[in-house]
Amino acid sequence: MENGSEPEREPVYDTVPFERWGRVRRASVASDAVAETTAERLGYDEPDASVGITSRGGVPTVVVARTVTDDRQGSRVSATEVLFDDLVAAAPRWVDVTVSLASREYETTVPVRARVFEQWRA
């Protein structure tokens, strides 16, 4: 295709069942809500922790994690400023999520876990 020319093939579109869309969308909404709430409770503008989604036994779960990095000799290279006990106290235990599309709603409760993510640097 040259600049300014029409595409040579038609675009391909696909649909996803509403329930599947709701399950996927809730993960993003839940993660954002947990990050915002945790940061607010800790007094930060942004979360001083990693926030993401994992699946535990097939159940989507939000994970907030304190990251600690040590070198091969066991010396601390860096660590998330917030202490683990403070992170546990600040993170909600679950988040209720409602997503909607075209007058349909998908509601669910997503559990939240806190953990320490330890990594080593060479």
Side-chain angles (χ1 to χ4, degrees):
M1 178 170 80
E2 293 181 32
N3 286 340
S5 66
E6 293 292 320
E8 295 177 17
R9 63 184 182 110
E10 292 295 316
V12 177
Y13 300 97
D14 199 4
T15 60
V16 174
F18 178 77
E19 292 295 317
R20 182 171 174 206
W21 174 85
R23 286 192 308 269
V24 171
R25 184 70 181 121
R26 75 175 171 192
S28 175
V29 171
S31 180
D32 290 348
V34 169
E36 184 178 319
T37 298
T38 303
E40 183 179 291
R41 290 177 179 175
L42 289 168
Y44 294 111
D45 291 333
E46 295 181 10
D48 187 39
S50 300
V51 181
I53 291 284
T54 188
S55 180
R56 189 170 188 194
V59 176
T61 303
V62 176
V63 175
V64 292
R66 177 174 194 259
T67 303
V68 175
T69 305
D70 294 332
D71 65 18
R72 297 285 179 201
Q73 290 73 38
S75 298
R76 177 79 22 100
V77 174
S78 65
T80 306
E81 186 176 311
V82 65
L83 299 176
F84 182 69
D85 289 343
D86 295 339
L87 184 62
V88 169
R93 302 295 172 254
W94 67 85
V95 61
D96 293 323
V97 177
T98 302
V99 293
S100 59
L101 177 69
S103 301
R104 293 182 70 187
E105 288 189 344
Y106 184 91
E107 296 178 327
T108 190
T109 298
V110 179
V112 179
R113 291 182 49 224
R115 70 177 289 242
V116 174
F117 177 68
E118 295 180 275
Q119 56 188 3
W120 291 266
R121 219 184 262 178

